[in-house]
Amino acid sequence: EPEVTQTPSHQVTQMGQEVILRCVPISNHLYFYWYRQILGQKVEFLVSFYNNEISEKSEIFDDQFSVERPDGSNFTLKIRSTKLEDSAMYFCASQPGQGFQNTIYFGEGSWLTVV
Amino acid sequence: KNQVEQSPQSLIILEGKNCTLQCNYTVSPFSNLRWYKQDTGRGPVSLTIMTFSENTKSNGRYTATLDADTKQSSLHITASQLSDSASYICVVSPNTGTASKLTFGTGTRLQVTL
């Protein structure tokens, strides 16, 4: 079964450093998302991406965050200057098309620890 | 504020037994409700998807119900197996199509024992 792959699986970074989390969505999917889950808390929406641009974003997704799809394959989340509270599991997800019946596929997550 | 509440927080059952997990939501507008299974440290995996017009949806040993009037859903697991041990998360979508702004519950942590 096709899957969303994410790298790295775990990254430790110092506060203030830039971090790039990478995702390879399922081929031919059109909608891409980043969600995050702080340890012990609910999964939270960050941003959605369609047609090479952000379609929606949450309050969490401030100027420190950015996303891009540089080569039509990878989908990246960049955090410019990490803060301690950015420590979380970051999930990438993709969806083949619009419509509730389209299953959303989540990756295994990238665990980010900011020290 | 959109909220999804789940109960119980955790549950321990013997292998082979059935169980039912509950979900109450106050998401508006409402489009569809999804149940996910999440193993520790892994990504959520979709189990069922229901719109407001559907009352029940099955996927193998998993059966989800939805009452859009009372804004309640349940996930029933029959003949539980050790591999069912995971968190089960209720997720509500306000949109008709995309996965933007899904509201996740905190999940019910299920442990199946011998």
Side-chain angles (χ1 to χ4, degrees), chain A residues 31 33 35 37 40-45 47-49 55-58 89 91 95 97-109, chain B residues 2-5 31-32 34 36 38 41-46 49-51 54 57 89 95-106:
Chain A
Y31 293 82
Y33 310 89
Y35 279 80
Q37 184 175 29
Q41 297 186 22
K42 302 177 183 182
V43 177
E44 303 171 291
F45 170 71
V47 65
S48 59
F49 193 85
S55 47
E56 288 187 272
K57 60 183 181 180
S58 71
M89 178 75 92
F91 292 107
Q95 192 178 15
Q98 198 171 20
F100 72 89
Q101 65 271 39
N102 281 296
T103 299
I104 305 158
Y105 294 86
F106 285 85
E108 294 296 304
Chain B
N2 290 338
Q3 296 268 23
V4 176
E5 302 294 335
S31 171
N32 58 81
R34 305 166 188 253
Y36 281 86
Q38 185 179 22
R42 309 289 293 274
V45 176
S46 180
I49 304 172
M50 289 184 294
T51 66
E54 296 178 287
K57 183 73 69 77
I89 307 174
N95 299 313
T96 55
T98 71
S100 295
K101 299 183 177 180
L102 299 178
T103 301
F104 283 69
T106 51

Side-chain angles (χ1 to χ4, degrees), chain B:
Chain B
K1 184 181 178 182
N2 290 338
Q3 296 268 23
V4 176
E5 302 294 335
Q6 292 186 243
S7 62
Q9 277 191 322
S10 61
L11 184 62
I12 301 175
I13 62 172
L14 293 175
E15 186 182 28
K17 297 297 185 182
N18 304 334
C19 66
T20 300
L21 315 179
Q22 302 292 341
C23 172
N24 297 319
Y25 63 92
T26 55
V27 176
S28 182
F30 170 80
S31 171
N32 58 81
L33 185 146
R34 305 166 188 253
W35 280 93
Y36 281 86
K37 177 184 179 185
Q38 185 179 22
D39 293 311
T40 302
R42 309 289 293 274
V45 176
S46 180
L47 295 176
T48 62
I49 304 172
M50 289 184 294
T51 66
F52 61 88
S53 61
E54 296 178 287
N55 298 122
T56 185
K57 183 73 69 77
S58 291
N59 178 5
R61 294 180 297 103
Y62 302 104
T63 299
T65 65
L66 174 64
D67 185 334
D69 292 330
T70 61
K71 299 186 177 180
Q72 295 179 325
S73 176
S74 67
L75 180 69
H76 186 73
I77 305 174
T78 58
S80 60
Q81 301 174 358
L82 296 177
S83 59
D84 291 334
S85 296
S87 286
Y88 290 83
I89 307 174
C90 177
V91 182
V92 179
S93 172
N95 299 313
T96 55
T98 71
S100 295
K101 299 183 177 180
L102 299 178
T103 301
F104 283 69
T106 51
T108 291
R109 190 165 199 82
L110 175 66
Q111 184 177 348
V112 181
T113 65
L114 292 171

Side-chain angles (χ1 to χ4, degrees), chain A residues 67-113:
Chain A
V67 290
E68 63 176 3
R69 198 154 182 252
D71 56 11
S73 173
N74 292 289
F75 178 49
T76 63
L77 174 69
K78 181 191 291 185
I79 309 174
R80 287 193 187 80
S81 179
T82 50
K83 303 186 286 286
L84 294 177
E85 53 265 38
D86 293 329
S87 295
M89 178 75 92
Y90 288 81
F91 292 107
C92 173
S94 71
Q95 192 178 15
Q98 198 171 20
F100 72 89
Q101 65 271 39
N102 281 296
T103 299
I104 305 158
Y105 294 86
F106 285 85
E108 294 296 304
S110 291
W111 183 250
L112 176 65
T113 302

